[in-house]
Amino acid sequence: MQSWRTWHRPLVLFAASMAVTAVVAAIGMVVDERVLAGAPIWAKPFKFAVSFVAYALSLAWMLTLLTRGRRAGRRAGTVVALACAGEMAVITGQVIRGKRSHFNNATPLDSTLYQAMAVTVVILWAGTLVIALLLLRARIGDRASAWTVRAGALLALAGAAIGFLMTRPSAQQRAAGGLDSADVVGAHAVGVPDGGPSMALTGWSTTGGDLRIPHFVGMHALQALPLFLLVLLLLAPRVTRLRDPLVRLRLVRVACGAYAALVALLTWQALRGEPLIHPEGATLTAAAVSGVATAAGFVSALRAGTRPGRTGAPGKELVR
């Protein structure tokens, strides 16, 4: 991995600012007793700041892998950093005002800020798309690394796109009518109002579906998949089969497929208005099928390292 000093500077600086914001928001959750939509008012900027630290640093590193279109990649990275900064400015500003940032059309100012934030999200998504397309064209020497980076970027785009589903009027809002004059249009939860019973820390609904779950899981494929490969590389000195690049490649492919299936399953579950912690039979069946397929894929990938006649193939012992 290249030195962090070569990482995209605007994204690194933005990540540093978000680390500071996370600390400030954490203090806010302790000293500020205000509650908004059923959660501590500083919880949203805290969660967004922590998420943006990981997201920005991942993109900043991935941009060092580009072999073509580096200038376009740097510009796209700067656009992403500015868009993220704009979104966080609105979120934090609304917290200071004691107002909702998302779905808020209560006043002309609130509506304008929400629309401005919506624009920043579209710009963020478009900038990430440019980076993802450039990564698809990049010549990355290690094939397993190429898979984690490219799949991570594409799944992050899919996860970010799920956010657009939250901007639609909920079933309850449509039933109530008067959407043109409603104070709140759009919701995180499906089947229940926002602000109801929720999980600790995450704030995800425990009584209905919650689109924030696949949104979060999808966006953080940027970190999860490269971390999976990093674990394989760390285990390779002790686990003989993992020294084989082809075995690692096959394991990574299985992991990418499993992660994509997880994002799809969580999206399906949320859209059906089903809480994450109370899955129904259909969800459990789909999860079981996906789990069995993933396990079979991992077993097949590991067995590939024991086939005779392969150059550099390890022997039958898994652990030295």
Side-chain angles (χ1 to χ4, degrees):
M1 181 181 295
Q2 297 191 34
S3 169
W4 66 269
R5 292 182 177 85
T6 66
W7 294 11
H8 187 270
R9 188 175 296 273
L11 283 169
V12 171
L13 292 175
F14 170 70
S17 72
M18 288 301 97
V20 174
T21 301
V23 173
V24 172
I27 296 172
M29 287 192 290
V30 174
V31 302
D32 192 338
E33 297 180 352
R34 291 180 296 168
V35 174
L36 186 63
I41 197 168
W42 284 97
K44 184 181 289 289
F46 174 78
K47 290 187 289 187
F48 268 74
V50 171
S51 180
F52 273 143
V53 168
Y55 190 79
L57 289 179
S58 297
L59 285 182
W61 164 64
M62 288 181 178
L63 285 169
T64 67
L65 304 176
L66 295 181
T67 54
R68 290 183 286 182
R70 289 180 177 175
R71 179 175 296 181
R74 287 195 296 270
R75 290 175 177 173
T78 301
V79 167
V80 169
L82 292 174
C84 292
E87 183 176 6
M88 279 301 299
V90 174
I91 291 172
T92 307
Q94 287 292 74
V95 165
I96 294 172
R97 296 180 63 232
K99 305 291 185 180
R100 291 180 62 143
S101 54
H102 290 71
F103 322 127
N104 190 354
N105 295 293
T107 68
L109 176 58
D110 291 325
S111 180
T112 299
L113 290 173
Y114 175 46
Q115 294 302 321
M117 188 169 59
V119 171
T120 65
V121 171
V122 173
I123 294 173
L124 186 162
W125 193 88
T128 304
L129 174 62
V130 171
I131 295 172
L133 293 175
L134 291 173
L135 287 169
L136 289 176
R137 299 178 56 205
R139 296 179 179 178
I140 302 174
D142 180 66
R143 295 172 66 192
S145 297
W147 263 83
T148 61
V149 169
R150 292 165 180 167
L154 292 174
L155 285 170
L157 281 170
I162 293 171
F164 296 119
L165 297 176
M166 304 179 201
T167 63
R168 303 180 305 171
S170 67
Q172 293 88 346
Q173 292 166 353
R174 289 195 299 270
L179 294 177
D180 292 337
S181 58
D183 289 348
V184 176
V185 178
H188 301 126
V190 178
V192 295
D194 280 350
S198 60
M199 298 171 61
L201 186 61
T202 64
W204 296 337
S205 176
T206 57
T207 56
D210 199 317
L211 289 166
R212 289 174 295 183
I213 300 171
H215 177 64
F216 173 86
V217 173
M219 288 193 67
H220 289 289
L222 278 176
Q223 297 84 48
L225 293 176
L227 282 175
F228 175 77
L229 177 59
L230 178 61
V231 170
L232 296 183
L233 293 172
L234 291 174
L235 291 175
R238 297 185 60 190
V239 182
T240 308
R241 294 179 195 176
L242 297 183
R243 298 178 205 162
D244 188 337
L246 184 56
V247 171
R248 292 198 300 269
L249 173 62
R250 289 172 172 169
L251 288 171
V252 162
R253 285 175 173 171
V254 174
C256 291
Y259 204 96
L262 175 62
V263 174
L265 177 61
L266 292 173
T267 304
W268 180 54
Q269 182 184 28
L271 289 173
R272 287 161 46 229
E274 181 182 290
L276 175 67
I277 60 174
H278 300 298
E280 297 176 355
T283 304
L284 291 172
T285 300
V289 170
S290 178
V292 170
T294 300
F298 283 143
V299 170
S300 177
L302 289 170
R303 283 182 176 175
T306 65
R307 294 174 185 171
R310 283 169 36 84
T311 303
K316 293 183 179 180
E317 294 298 323
L318 178 61
V319 181
R320 183 171 58 180

